Amino acid sequence: MSTTQSDRLRGLLEPLVAAKGLDLEDIEMSKAGKRRMLRVIVDSDEGVELDACAELSREVSDRLDETDVMGEDEYVLEVSSPGADRPLTEHRHYVRAIGRLVKFQLEPGGELIARILDVDDEGMDLEVPGVKGRKATARRIAFTDIAKARVEIEFNRKDKKEEEA
């Protein structure tokens, strides 16, 4: 997708997404056979429900039909939330991941798996799980020390709502 088209799409869709109390995380365009696939990724601090995606999809479709931003060729529109394994790239992503286990690729090298306890403007406080019966340890990491970060899927992790009950 050209930068100009991407910028036009973002300018067109961001107000619709914001009006729903959501963040526009990404816009992806890809080929699917003869058709194009336009994927609009949205999120919020509370997550995104399926009904909200469906409603937003209808509004985005109507708005795109009113303009020429997609041209004359057919396309498939998909509005969804980011997957659980999406990369953490923005400050708000780290805030939303508080309490989650994250795999960090560090600058200039190395890897760390730790639970995010707190996030501020400079970095975050982590709990590094203990290995082989050892206690967990606390660690502070600056955003500048992070090359990549991604939430680790935990199948046996209790949900926040379960913990509060």
Side-chain angles (χ1 to χ4, degrees):
M1 176 166 51
S2 70
T3 303
T4 305
Q5 184 181 27
S6 177
D7 292 342
R8 288 181 63 202
L9 280 167
R10 186 166 285 280
L12 186 69
L13 302 181
E14 210 148 28
L16 283 176
V17 172
K20 297 286 183 199
L22 302 171
D23 296 317
L24 180 58
E25 294 293 343
D26 200 8
I27 299 172
E28 301 170 356
M29 180 75 76
S30 61
K31 286 274 192 191
K34 291 185 176 184
R35 293 189 199 157
R36 296 174 295 160
M37 169 73 83
L38 174 62
R39 184 171 288 122
V40 179
I41 312 293
V42 297
D43 202 3
S44 79
D45 290 344
E46 295 80 35
V48 182
E49 300 211 357
L50 187 58
D51 289 344
C53 285
E55 184 179 325
L56 182 60
S57 179
R58 287 188 290 275
E59 291 182 25
V60 166
S61 179
D62 290 345
R63 182 64 54 92
L64 292 174
D65 289 347
E66 294 169 0
T67 69
D68 66 345
V69 71
M70 292 300 295
E72 296 297 317
D73 296 334
E74 289 184 25
Y75 66 92
V76 175
L77 173 64
E78 178 183 300
V79 176
S80 66
S81 62
D85 63 343
R86 68 116 183 262
L88 305 178
T89 57
E90 303 284 335
H91 184 271
R92 68 179 177 266
H93 298 164
Y94 292 98
V95 171
R96 291 175 184 159
I98 289 174
R100 304 290 304 270
L101 198 62
V102 175
K103 183 176 186 177
F104 297 94
Q105 298 294 323
L106 304 174
E107 291 286 351
E111 185 176 283
L112 173 67
I113 295 177
R115 192 168 308 281
I116 298 176
L117 300 177
D118 193 30
V119 177
D120 59 34
D121 291 339
E122 288 79 40
M124 63 198 86
D125 296 322
L126 306 173
E127 179 184 72
V128 181
V131 180
K132 295 183 182 175
R134 293 185 180 155
K135 288 187 176 184
T137 57
R139 179 165 176 183
R140 174 86 182 157
I141 189 171
F143 288 117
T144 56
D145 294 335
I146 301 170
K148 293 180 183 177
R150 187 177 302 268
V151 170
E152 288 283 283
I153 306 299
E154 296 179 86
F155 293 106
N156 60 352
R157 178 179 176 262
K158 287 186 179 178
D159 191 345
K160 287 180 187 177
K161 292 176 186 170
E162 289 177 30
E163 291 173 2
E164 292 170 0

